[in-house]
Amino acid sequence: MVLGTFLHNNYNQKATKVAGAYSSKLKEKLQYVNVNLYDNLEIFLLYTRGFNGALSGNLAFQESTESYSPFYDVDFFEYCLSIPIKYRVDHKIYFKWIKSKYPEAAKYYYEKLHGKINTPLFITKNRWFIIRCINKFLKIIGLNGLYGTFTKNAMNPFDYWYENNKELQKFINSQYNDNIELLDFDKDVKEACIYLFNNGIMTEKFQVLTLLSVTKLLF
């Protein structure tokens, strides 16, 4: 994301409380989020989705090892962010960099594009448009579609695994049922978690399980 951007437009804007959120079901609970702490939407997303989101996964193995990336270099990081967004959006300059400096990597299937990054852009855009139309039609008639977390074609097909792996489903439900009482000390939080787990997709259920795991571990 550093040489690309979390943004989908060629311009920056002011951050909103729900920008980049995995779920908006409990957005009314976000009064405490102060978006004024961040200069713009891109910086807000770097902190909330990047540092505090994606990189938090590193905590699971930092007891034994360490991760590293060229983008951890502060000078390089700042240089990348100084490049105008219009060159970084949709990974434009990043893909050019890969094709120029590491063309072998360009041969791999890129899930977000549903193709390779060296595929002509007009082909990629037309293919994605067709896929979206088919997906929407399938959902209208009550099917899961070709792509998305309810299908095995997603990058992280959590809902597909949950629906098709009964042992996994049993484990996830038992983790919730065995630990939800840990939140008895706060009625509002408990009710919010019950609502989110029972009405949410898997990423939302995972948010509840994460809170329960942290509560059990620390308190």
Side-chain angles (χ1 to χ4, degrees), residues 162 168-178 197 205:
Y162 181 79
L168 176 64
Q169 187 179 118
K170 181 180 177 181
F171 173 77
I172 288 172
N173 291 339
S174 67
Q175 289 296 303
Y176 168 76
N177 292 323
D178 293 345
F197 190 88
K205 294 181 191 295

Side-chain angles (χ1 to χ4, degrees), residues 123-184:
I123 294 178
T124 302
K125 285 192 172 183
N126 287 334
R127 179 166 54 201
W128 181 231
F129 174 75
I130 293 171
I131 289 172
R132 289 178 63 186
C133 289
I134 295 174
N135 248 18
K136 188 170 184 178
F137 172 74
L138 290 174
K139 289 179 179 180
I140 288 174
I141 63 175
L143 300 177
N144 287 332
L146 298 175
Y147 290 91
T149 61
F150 286 92
T151 76
K152 60 183 178 181
N153 295 320
M155 183 173 72
N156 297 302
F158 298 129
D159 293 277
Y160 177 82
W161 292 334
Y162 181 79
E163 292 297 327
N164 292 278
N165 187 329
K166 298 306 177 185
E167 285 299 312
L168 176 64
Q169 187 179 118
K170 181 180 177 181
F171 173 77
I172 288 172
N173 291 339
S174 67
Q175 289 296 303
Y176 168 76
N177 292 323
D178 293 345
N179 294 290
I180 188 62
E181 300 304 321
L182 294 171
L183 300 180
D184 282 348

Side-chain angles (χ1 to χ4, degrees), residues 90-102:
D90 295 329
H91 296 304
K92 289 176 184 175
I93 196 170
Y94 190 38
F95 288 164
K96 286 183 178 180
W97 187 25
I98 292 174
K99 287 185 281 188
S100 172
K101 302 299 182 182
Y102 191 11

Side-chain angles (χ1 to χ4, degrees), residues 94-110 113 115-119:
Y94 190 38
F95 288 164
K96 286 183 178 180
W97 187 25
I98 292 174
K99 287 185 281 188
S100 172
K101 302 299 182 182
Y102 191 11
E104 288 298 308
K107 297 178 181 179
Y108 284 93
Y109 182 92
Y110 188 64
L113 288 178
K116 300 176 181 179
I117 65 174
N118 51 14
T119 303

